[in-house]
Amino acid sequence: MTTSVGTQHISKQFDNELENIRERVLAMGGLVEQQLINALRALTEFEVEFAQLVVRNEPQVNALEVSIDEDCTKILARRQPAAGDLRLVMAVIKTITDLERIGDESEKIAKMAIELIEKQGPKSYYVGISALGNHARKMVHDALDAFARMDTQAALKVASDEPRSDEMYVAILRQLITYMMEDPRNISGTIDVVWTARALERIADHARNICEYVIYFVEGKDVRHISIEQMEKEISESKK
Amino acid sequence: MTTSVGTQHISKQFDNELENIRERVLAMGGLVEQQLINALRALTEFEVEFAQLVVRNEPQVNALEVSIDEDCTKILARRQPAAGDLRLVMAVIKTITDLERIGDESEKIAKMAIELIEKQGPKSYYVGISALGNHARKMVHDALDAFARMDTQAALKVASDEPRSDEMYVAILRQLITYMMEDPRNISGTIDVVWTARALERIADHARNICEYVIYFVEGKDVRHISIEQMEKEISESKK
């Protein structure tokens, strides 16, 4: 697919630049997704090496954010994009902020995994965390897929998966509170697990944000701060 | 001060547009700061009306984000800004994302205040929350002040205040864990206080981010993901 939504650029070079930025976002997305996978693996399989790998790779995520941001600023300054091209650049600028934060949260999970592996062994409540982790990971993967194909229906599907992560989070929190109440010696260690659940719920939020930028790029409509129903309406209206 | 860093625009209208965006960011900042003040007041003075006011005003914050974002996109499309003007627009696009998230966190604090007021009375650990709240509020205020004057030294000062909020947060968390261990019946209610502390620590992070954009605008250097010492060095080098 082309990123220019049908417009023909006089400069082939400009096309290449836009395509290059899009590919770099997907590369950053791939790295961030791998960071999350490794953080979850450290946490659920008690493999400290995976957590250490996440911590080691975090600066790469930050460097990509800064570098793609620079590319976007250069394109704005030199190419003065309009319409769909401008929306693509805007969507990229916002997407990389959310990707960087998913990277941040993954690093936090990895660091908590290191602590938890040291302090305590596997616990039954990890089943809930693992399920929420898979849900969040799938949302990130599908959001990147929607971005790659600039597919609004796929984006809408991811956004509609988000409330499920809130429900899972609330259920885990309830379970963790019960666990802490049963034995107050568990409190300190369990608070770290609470943070992990919270980090996963935030990752799901960021995945939803990315989907909103996909819809913004394709439809030219800002769908932040509105309900899924309103989002669906906005998209279907533009199809008429 | 002018926002155009010494360049003369052919179009007076363009100057006005940039000045208008800057003023709108400051208005949004003022609203967000008031949201935080009211949320803290609800929490520390057990005044549920202030919390309700925060929840009521939250859509205004979101609407401002969307509207200023639109203004920025229009300027990029019509005026094709370069150099300092482009950096200002980029700084604004990022600043309003952080302001919106400060608004979000303030709303979360307000909602937790409503819960806490219903469930329990004043507790001694609120002293810590109150101190962290004041610290975060001051950081937001000073970050907006640095933005208003585009003052890198003031921005650097705010960024260097941020680690203090982490320390305060860790101390509060330790105190809250002790409190939960003393009486497991406290756990459920206390978890909400833990979230409040976390929300305040995040607000301090967002205030620091805004200061990084001020430095980016003035110096043309991206100072995210680096230490305060490196930041100081970047700024002092540009003065030579």
Side-chain angles (χ1 to χ4, degrees):
Chain A
M1 69 152 282
T2 65
T3 52
S4 48
V5 210
T7 49
Q8 289 287 324
H9 294 135
I10 296 163
S11 157
K12 179 94 180 80
Q13 177 62 19
F14 182 22
D15 275 336
N16 291 345
E17 284 174 19
L18 288 178
E19 186 53 31
N20 181 44
I21 277 194
R22 228 174 59 89
E23 277 167 19
R24 296 194 75 200
V25 172
L26 292 174
M28 182 179 175
L31 174 61
V32 164
E33 192 185 346
Q34 194 55 51
Q35 290 285 85
L36 175 57
I37 290 170
N38 287 340
L40 288 170
R41 193 158 172 189
L43 187 74
T44 55
E45 298 175 21
F46 299 88
E47 297 277 10
V48 78
E49 299 78 30
F50 286 102
Q52 287 157 345
L53 187 63
V54 173
V55 175
R56 232 170 20 244
N57 286 340
E58 163 67 7
Q60 273 186 48
V61 178
N62 295 340
L64 272 170
E65 185 199 13
V66 170
S67 160
I68 298 172
D69 227 9
E70 272 174 19
D71 287 352
C72 289
T73 313
K74 274 185 203 150
I75 285 192
L76 288 172
R78 290 182 195 162
R79 302 290 182 179
Q80 302 161 345
D85 298 329
L86 177 55
R87 287 206 306 278
L88 177 69
V89 176
M90 295 291 280
V92 166
I93 290 171
K94 285 168 193 290
T95 297
I96 57 174
T97 304
D98 282 280
L99 285 177
E100 192 270 332
R101 298 211 171 137
I102 295 174
D104 254 10
E105 300 290 347
S106 300
E107 192 197 19
K108 280 182 204 159
I109 295 171
K111 285 183 173 170
M112 283 183 281
I114 295 172
E115 289 253 321
L116 288 167
I117 293 167
E118 275 174 17
K119 277 198 258 181
Q120 55 188 33
K123 304 280 184 197
S124 62
Y125 53 69
Y126 281 38
V127 177
I129 288 283
S130 180
L132 175 57
N134 280 330
H135 187 76
R137 192 197 51 69
K138 190 170 180 307
M139 278 184 68
V140 171
H141 180 87
D142 294 350
L144 288 167
D145 201 49
F147 183 93
R149 296 185 286 117
M150 286 298 167
D151 179 338
T152 53
Q153 288 304 323
L156 196 63
K157 168 78 177 57
V158 179
S160 66
D161 282 345
E162 196 257 324
R164 177 84 191 105
S165 67
D166 289 337
E167 287 164 26
M168 289 168 101
Y169 165 72
V170 169
I172 290 171
L173 190 59
R174 200 174 296 131
Q175 189 191 11
L176 291 174
I177 289 173
T178 309
Y179 181 69
M180 287 190 267
M181 288 174 87
E182 277 165 14
D183 186 350
R185 285 170 305 179
N186 297 327
I187 291 173
S188 183
T190 309
I191 289 280
D192 282 343
V193 187
V194 171
W195 293 141
T196 303
R198 183 71 155 197
L200 289 169
E201 188 250 317
R202 287 202 181 248
I203 287 173
D205 277 352
H206 290 299
R208 179 191 157 129
N209 291 347
I210 292 172
C211 292
E212 291 172 353
Y213 311 141
V214 170
I215 296 171
Y216 164 75
F217 165 66
V218 178
E219 307 283 344
K221 284 175 188 160
D222 195 323
V223 292
R224 291 175 295 186
H225 314 303
I226 65 174
S227 69
I228 293 288
E229 291 69 31
Q230 285 172 294
M231 252 192 227
E232 276 172 352
K233 212 167 149 260
E234 292 280 353
I235 292 176
S236 65
E237 269 175 9
S238 76
K239 293 275 175 295
K240 277 173 195 164
Chain B
M1 69 152 284
T2 67
T3 53
S4 48
V5 210
T7 50
Q8 289 287 326
H9 294 132
I10 296 163
S11 156
K12 179 94 181 78
Q13 177 64 19
F14 182 21
D15 275 334
N16 289 345
E17 282 174 21
L18 287 178
E19 187 52 31
N20 182 44
I21 278 194
R22 228 173 59 89
E23 276 167 20
R24 296 193 75 199
V25 172
L26 292 174
M28 180 179 178
L31 174 61
V32 164
E33 191 184 344
Q34 194 56 51
Q35 290 284 86
L36 175 56
I37 289 171
N38 286 341
L40 288 171
R41 191 158 173 188
L43 187 74
T44 55
E45 297 176 21
F46 300 88
E47 297 276 11
V48 78
E49 300 78 30
F50 286 101
Q52 288 158 344
L53 187 63
V54 173
V55 175
R56 232 171 20 246
N57 286 341
E58 164 67 7
Q60 274 186 49
V61 177
N62 295 341
L64 272 170
E65 185 199 12
V66 170
S67 159
I68 297 172
D69 228 8
E70 271 174 19
D71 286 351
C72 288
T73 313
K74 274 185 204 152
I75 284 192
L76 287 173
R78 290 182 194 162
R79 300 291 180 177
Q80 302 161 345
D85 298 330
L86 177 55
R87 288 205 306 277
L88 178 69
V89 176
M90 296 289 281
V92 165
I93 290 171
K94 286 168 193 288
T95 297
I96 57 175
T97 305
D98 282 281
L99 284 178
E100 191 271 332
R101 297 206 173 141
I102 296 174
D104 254 10
E105 300 290 347
S106 299
E107 191 197 21
K108 282 182 204 160
I109 295 170
K111 284 182 173 169
M112 284 183 280
I114 295 172
E115 289 255 321
L116 288 168
I117 292 167
E118 276 174 14
K119 277 199 260 182
Q120 54 189 33
K123 302 281 183 195
S124 62
Y125 54 68
Y126 281 36
V127 177
I129 288 283
S130 180
L132 175 56
N134 279 330
H135 186 76
R137 192 198 50 71
K138 188 169 181 306
M139 278 183 69
V140 171
H141 180 87
D142 293 350
L144 288 168
D145 200 51
F147 183 93
R149 295 184 287 118
M150 287 299 168
D151 179 338
T152 54
Q153 288 304 324
L156 196 63
K157 169 76 178 57
V158 179
S160 66
D161 281 344
E162 195 257 323
R164 177 84 191 107
S165 67
D166 290 337
E167 287 164 25
M168 289 168 101
Y169 166 72
V170 169
I172 290 170
L173 190 59
R174 199 173 299 131
Q175 189 191 10
L176 292 174
I177 289 173
T178 309
Y179 181 68
M180 288 190 266
M181 288 173 88
E182 278 166 12
D183 186 350
R185 285 170 304 178
N186 298 327
I187 291 173
S188 186
T190 309
I191 290 279
D192 282 343
V193 188
V194 172
W195 294 140
T196 304
R198 183 73 155 194
L200 290 169
E201 189 251 316
R202 287 203 182 248
I203 287 173
D205 277 352
H206 290 300
R208 179 191 155 127
N209 291 347
I210 292 172
C211 292
E212 290 172 354
Y213 311 141
V214 170
I215 295 171
Y216 164 75
F217 165 66
V218 178
E219 306 284 343
K221 284 174 188 162
D222 195 324
V223 293
R224 291 175 295 186
H225 314 302
I226 64 174
S227 68
I228 292 288
E229 290 70 29
Q230 284 171 293
M231 250 192 227
E232 277 173 351
K233 213 167 146 259
E234 291 281 352
I235 292 176
S236 65
E237 268 173 9
S238 77
K239 293 277 177 294
K240 280 172 194 165

